[in-house]
Amino acid sequence: MFGVLSSFVRKKTVGLTALLLSSTSAFASADVVLKSSDFVGISFWLISMALVASTAFFFLERDRVAGKWKTSLTVSGLVTLIAAVHYFYMRDVWVLTGSTPTVYRYIDWLITVPLLMIEFYLILAAIAKVPNGVFWRLMIGTLVMLVGGYLGEAGYMAAFPAFVIGMLGWAYILWEIFGGEASKINATQAPQNVQSAFSLMRWIVTIGWAIYPIGYFIGYLTGADPIESMKGLNIVYNLADVLNKIAFGVIIWSVAVTESQKA
Ligand SMILES: *C/C=C(C)/C=C/C=C(C)/C=C/C1=C(C)CCCC1(C)C
């Protein structure tokens, strides 16, 4: 934890020093500002700002919903807040160096993906009694998925077996929300609005989330150069997070508001 923090601070310091040093020459500084032709850099800015605005929105809208829905909005706001801060850093690294290792994203994922999973538990818990097993199965699936992917991307394990482990974790999550206990509670006890939200959310976890393993596959399993393919993939990952973090939160906000008005 402190290792990560201190290397974060160190990298930030190196980056700022580089920025200061190079800005002493008008020509060199042109390398370290965002260029209008840098679409990846622009996508980093857009998503950063969208995440900040979403955070403010979810936290403020918390006032409008009934007590049992407030935690869901808090968690949505935390997801976008954590991602915003993380994106500021990735954006700076991108502008300074023209690359951002995908492995950096795992620091964000390790916190935001479990929080997104908790949202399934929370929206069911707002309307029914949900056994703790649902929560734990979603957590275990998430951890297996991310640890598998990390071991492969960071080079601690061969890329293919690590990918298989990650895919198994994701499959476990999909099983829980499409066929397992979470899905049954939703089908038998949830009101219509909650069922629609639950259904949209699980399609995001299926289709929106598929972008990341596809990115892993292209980067590590097709023989492409991971550094080169990462450039194009960054833009895809940045757009994916609009769906997977912001739209996901908006679905929860929407059901929380409608269900609160009913009461
Ligand atoms: C906000 C960030 C999100 C929703 C990130 C999600 C990341 C994944 C769904 C990653 C999935 C992966 C696999 C299914 C296989 C192994 C490699 C991963 C970790 C990229």
Side-chain angles (χ1 to χ4, degrees):
M1 186 61 207
F2 286 108
V4 173
L5 264 179
S6 73
S7 84
F8 180 95
V9 171
R10 243 182 295 121
K11 278 178 191 137
K12 196 85 178 170
T13 318
V14 171
L16 285 175
T17 317
L19 189 67
L20 282 174
L21 285 177
S22 55
S23 63
T24 54
S25 141
F27 296 105
S29 72
D31 294 335
V32 288
V33 295
L34 181 66
K35 293 186 196 60
S36 49
S37 58
D38 177 1
F39 294 116
V40 180
I42 291 170
S43 76
F44 271 114
W45 276 86
L46 285 174
I47 176 83
S48 309
M49 293 308 119
L51 286 165
V52 170
S54 308
T55 305
F57 179 77
F58 293 136
F59 285 162
L60 291 170
E61 288 289 304
R62 202 175 169 277
D63 284 346
R64 272 180 70 198
V65 302
K68 60 182 181 179
W69 289 104
K70 286 192 190 298
T71 313
S72 302
L73 288 197
T74 304
V75 172
S76 293
L78 288 177
V79 166
T80 51
L81 175 66
I82 293 161
V85 175
H86 197 77
Y87 264 103
F88 292 151
Y89 178 65
M90 291 199 296
R91 185 190 68 191
D92 287 355
V93 173
W94 172 268
V95 170
L96 279 169
T97 65
S99 77
T100 295
T102 309
V103 175
Y104 282 10
R105 291 181 184 268
Y106 281 80
I107 306 168
D108 169 275
W109 294 353
L110 204 55
I111 311 176
T112 58
V113 180
L115 288 174
L116 290 169
M117 279 291 116
I118 288 173
E119 294 281 28
F120 280 97
Y121 176 82
L122 288 175
I123 76 160
L124 294 179
I127 49 95
K129 261 201 111 43
V130 187
N132 288 339
V134 170
F135 174 88
W136 287 112
R137 284 192 296 274
L138 292 171
M139 276 311 104
I140 290 166
T142 306
L143 283 179
V144 170
M145 177 179 88
L146 294 178
V147 170
Y150 180 77
L151 293 176
E153 297 216 33
Y156 292 112
M157 230 180 118
F160 186 68
F163 181 72
V164 172
I165 295 175
M167 291 299 276
L168 288 174
W170 186 35
Y172 191 59
I173 295 171
L174 291 175
W175 157 250
E176 178 66 28
I177 58 181
F178 277 95
E181 203 171 9
S183 129
K184 288 188 186 109
I185 295 171
N186 173 57
T188 55
Q189 298 179 52
Q192 193 48 49
N193 289 327
V194 173
Q195 289 198 28
S196 319
F198 193 93
S199 156
L200 279 173
M201 284 159 67
R202 64 185 174 195
W203 282 111
I204 288 186
V205 171
T206 314
I207 295 167
W209 285 23
I211 292 187
Y212 309 96
I214 292 171
Y216 182 107
F217 190 87
I218 294 173
Y220 297 95
L221 300 171
T222 55
D225 176 8
I227 307 282
E228 275 309 307
S229 51
M230 174 267 305
K231 289 188 179 160
L233 284 173
N234 263 312
I235 215 165
V236 177
Y237 285 152
N238 292 357
L239 291 174
D241 279 359
V242 174
L243 176 69
N244 297 334
K245 293 194 167 73
I246 300 176
F248 194 87
V250 168
I251 293 167
I252 292 159
W253 162 81
S254 161
V255 70
V257 170
T258 12
E259 284 297 305
S260 301
Q261 279 161 356
K262 258 176 38 183

PDB file of all heavy atoms in Angstrom, residues 69-82:
ATOM      1  N   TRP A  69     -32.172   3.677  -0.164  1.00  0.00           N
ATOM      2  CA  TRP A  69     -31.459   3.794  -1.447  1.00  0.00           C
ATOM      3  C   TRP A  69     -30.204   4.647  -1.361  1.00  0.00           C
ATOM      4  O   TRP A  69     -29.436   4.744  -2.319  1.00  0.00           O
ATOM      5  CB  TRP A  69     -32.394   4.394  -2.517  1.00  0.00           C
ATOM      6  CG  TRP A  69     -33.452   3.443  -2.939  1.00  0.00           C
ATOM      7  CD1 TRP A  69     -34.772   3.472  -2.579  1.00  0.00           C
ATOM      8  CD2 TRP A  69     -33.300   2.290  -3.785  1.00  0.00           C
ATOM      9  NE1 TRP A  69     -35.446   2.419  -3.137  1.00  0.00           N
ATOM     10  CE2 TRP A  69     -34.556   1.681  -3.883  1.00  0.00           C
ATOM     11  CE3 TRP A  69     -32.203   1.719  -4.452  1.00  0.00           C
ATOM     12  CZ2 TRP A  69     -34.766   0.520  -4.632  1.00  0.00           C
ATOM     13  CZ3 TRP A  69     -32.411   0.574  -5.197  1.00  0.00           C
ATOM     14  CH2 TRP A  69     -33.684  -0.017  -5.276  1.00  0.00           C
ATOM     15  N   LYS A  70     -30.003   5.291  -0.220  1.00  0.00           N
ATOM     16  CA  LYS A  70     -28.895   6.257  -0.139  1.00  0.00           C
ATOM     17  C   LYS A  70     -27.525   5.592  -0.317  1.00  0.00           C
ATOM     18  O   LYS A  70     -26.649   6.134  -0.994  1.00  0.00           O
ATOM     19  CB  LYS A  70     -28.941   7.025   1.186  1.00  0.00           C
ATOM     20  CG  LYS A  70     -30.066   8.066   1.225  1.00  0.00           C
ATOM     21  CD  LYS A  70     -29.906   9.002   2.407  1.00  0.00           C
ATOM     22  CE  LYS A  70     -31.114   9.888   2.633  1.00  0.00           C
ATOM     23  NZ  LYS A  70     -31.426  10.795   1.536  1.00  0.00           N
ATOM     24  N   THR A  71     -27.360   4.412   0.288  1.00  0.00           N
ATOM     25  CA  THR A  71     -26.040   3.759   0.184  1.00  0.00           C
ATOM     26  C   THR A  71     -25.690   3.472  -1.270  1.00  0.00           C
ATOM     27  O   THR A  71     -24.541   3.614  -1.686  1.00  0.00           O
ATOM     28  CB  THR A  71     -26.021   2.452   1.003  1.00  0.00           C
ATOM     29  OG1 THR A  71     -26.581   2.730   2.274  1.00  0.00           O
ATOM     30  CG2 THR A  71     -24.617   1.932   1.171  1.00  0.00           C
ATOM     31  N   SER A  72     -26.698   3.092  -2.063  1.00  0.00           N
ATOM     32  CA  SER A  72     -26.427   2.805  -3.479  1.00  0.00           C
ATOM     33  C   SER A  72     -25.856   4.036  -4.175  1.00  0.00           C
ATOM     34  O   SER A  72     -24.908   3.926  -4.963  1.00  0.00           O
ATOM     35  CB  SER A  72     -27.706   2.390  -4.201  1.00  0.00           C
ATOM     36  OG  SER A  72     -28.270   1.259  -3.588  1.00  0.00           O
ATOM     37  N   LEU A  73     -26.419   5.199  -3.886  1.00  0.00           N
ATOM     38  CA  LEU A  73     -25.909   6.420  -4.536  1.00  0.00           C
ATOM     39  C   LEU A  73     -24.540   6.800  -3.992  1.00  0.00           C
ATOM     40  O   LEU A  73     -23.677   7.274  -4.741  1.00  0.00           O
ATOM     41  CB  LEU A  73     -26.893   7.578  -4.361  1.00  0.00           C
ATOM     42  CG  LEU A  73     -28.185   7.490  -5.169  1.00  0.00           C
ATOM     43  CD1 LEU A  73     -28.878   8.839  -5.246  1.00  0.00           C
ATOM     44  CD2 LEU A  73     -27.937   6.987  -6.568  1.00  0.00           C
ATOM     45  N   THR A  74     -24.327   6.570  -2.690  1.00  0.00           N
ATOM     46  CA  THR A  74     -22.996   6.837  -2.129  1.00  0.00           C
ATOM     47  C   THR A  74     -21.954   6.002  -2.864  1.00  0.00           C
ATOM     48  O   THR A  74     -20.903   6.511  -3.271  1.00  0.00           O
ATOM     49  CB  THR A  74     -22.949   6.474  -0.627  1.00  0.00           C
ATOM     50  OG1 THR A  74     -23.981   7.196   0.034  1.00  0.00           O
ATOM     51  CG2 THR A  74     -21.604   6.806  -0.009  1.00  0.00           C
ATOM     52  N   VAL A  75     -22.267   4.727  -3.042  1.00  0.00           N
ATOM     53  CA  VAL A  75     -21.296   3.834  -3.693  1.00  0.00           C
ATOM     54  C   VAL A  75     -21.062   4.256  -5.151  1.00  0.00           C
ATOM     55  O   VAL A  75     -19.922   4.278  -5.621  1.00  0.00           O
ATOM     56  CB  VAL A  75     -21.746   2.357  -3.563  1.00  0.00           C
ATOM     57  CG1 VAL A  75     -20.858   1.435  -4.385  1.00  0.00           C
ATOM     58  CG2 VAL A  75     -21.713   1.924  -2.098  1.00  0.00           C
ATOM     59  N   SER A  76     -22.122   4.655  -5.854  1.00  0.00           N
ATOM     60  CA  SER A  76     -21.934   5.135  -7.234  1.00  0.00           C
ATOM     61  C   SER A  76     -20.992   6.338  -7.267  1.00  0.00           C
ATOM     62  O   SER A  76     -20.114   6.431  -8.126  1.00  0.00           O
ATOM     63  CB  SER A  76     -23.261   5.580  -7.848  1.00  0.00           C
ATOM     64  OG  SER A  76     -24.095   4.476  -8.021  1.00  0.00           O
ATOM     65  N   GLY A  77     -21.186   7.258  -6.316  1.00  0.00           N
ATOM     66  CA  GLY A  77     -20.334   8.443  -6.253  1.00  0.00           C
ATOM     67  C   GLY A  77     -18.893   8.087  -5.893  1.00  0.00           C
ATOM     68  O   GLY A  77     -17.954   8.690  -6.416  1.00  0.00           O
ATOM     69  N   LEU A  78     -18.724   7.083  -5.027  1.00  0.00           N
ATOM     70  CA  LEU A  78     -17.353   6.683  -4.669  1.00  0.00           C
ATOM     71  C   LEU A  78     -16.636   6.083  -5.868  1.00  0.00           C
ATOM     72  O   LEU A  78     -15.458   6.352  -6.102  1.00  0.00           O
ATOM     73  CB  LEU A  78     -17.387   5.664  -3.523  1.00  0.00           C
ATOM     74  CG  LEU A  78     -17.762   6.215  -2.146  1.00  0.00           C
ATOM     75  CD1 LEU A  78     -17.818   5.090  -1.117  1.00  0.00           C
ATOM     76  CD2 LEU A  78     -16.764   7.281  -1.701  1.00  0.00           C
ATOM     77  N   VAL A  79     -17.366   5.285  -6.638  1.00  0.00           N
ATOM     78  CA  VAL A  79     -16.755   4.673  -7.832  1.00  0.00           C
ATOM     79  C   VAL A  79     -16.238   5.766  -8.765  1.00  0.00           C
ATOM     80  O   VAL A  79     -15.085   5.730  -9.210  1.00  0.00           O
ATOM     81  CB  VAL A  79     -17.777   3.772  -8.573  1.00  0.00           C
ATOM     82  CG1 VAL A  79     -17.279   3.407  -9.969  1.00  0.00           C
ATOM     83  CG2 VAL A  79     -18.077   2.521  -7.765  1.00  0.00           C
ATOM     84  N   THR A  80     -17.077   6.768  -9.047  1.00  0.00           N
ATOM     85  CA  THR A  80     -16.649   7.805 -10.000  1.00  0.00           C
ATOM     86  C   THR A  80     -15.576   8.709  -9.372  1.00  0.00           C
ATOM     87  O   THR A  80     -14.679   9.164 -10.070  1.00  0.00           O
ATOM     88  CB  THR A  80     -17.855   8.621 -10.511  1.00  0.00           C
ATOM     89  OG1 THR A  80     -18.626   9.090  -9.407  1.00  0.00           O
ATOM     90  CG2 THR A  80     -18.739   7.801 -11.415  1.00  0.00           C
ATOM     91  N   LEU A  81     -15.642   8.910  -8.056  1.00  0.00           N
ATOM     92  CA  LEU A  81     -14.604   9.726  -7.395  1.00  0.00           C
ATOM     93  C   LEU A  81     -13.235   9.037  -7.482  1.00  0.00           C
ATOM     94  O   LEU A  81     -12.236   9.648  -7.878  1.00  0.00           O
ATOM     95  CB  LEU A  81     -14.982   9.957  -5.928  1.00  0.00           C
ATOM     96  CG  LEU A  81     -13.938  10.685  -5.072  1.00  0.00           C
ATOM     97  CD1 LEU A  81     -13.748  12.121  -5.546  1.00  0.00           C
ATOM     98  CD2 LEU A  81     -14.348  10.690  -3.599  1.00  0.00           C
ATOM     99  N   ILE A  82     -13.201   7.769  -7.116  1.00  0.00           N
ATOM    100  CA  ILE A  82     -11.928   7.027  -7.144  1.00  0.00           C
ATOM    101  C   ILE A  82     -11.383   7.007  -8.573  1.00  0.00           C
ATOM    102  O   ILE A  82     -10.195   7.236  -8.805  1.00  0.00           O
ATOM    103  CB  ILE A  82     -12.138   5.589  -6.616  1.00  0.00           C
ATOM    104  CG1 ILE A  82     -12.484   5.630  -5.126  1.00  0.00           C
ATOM    105  CG2 ILE A  82     -10.898   4.737  -6.860  1.00  0.00           C
ATOM    106  CD1 ILE A  82     -13.156   4.369  -4.607  1.00  0.00           C
TER     107      ILE A  82
END
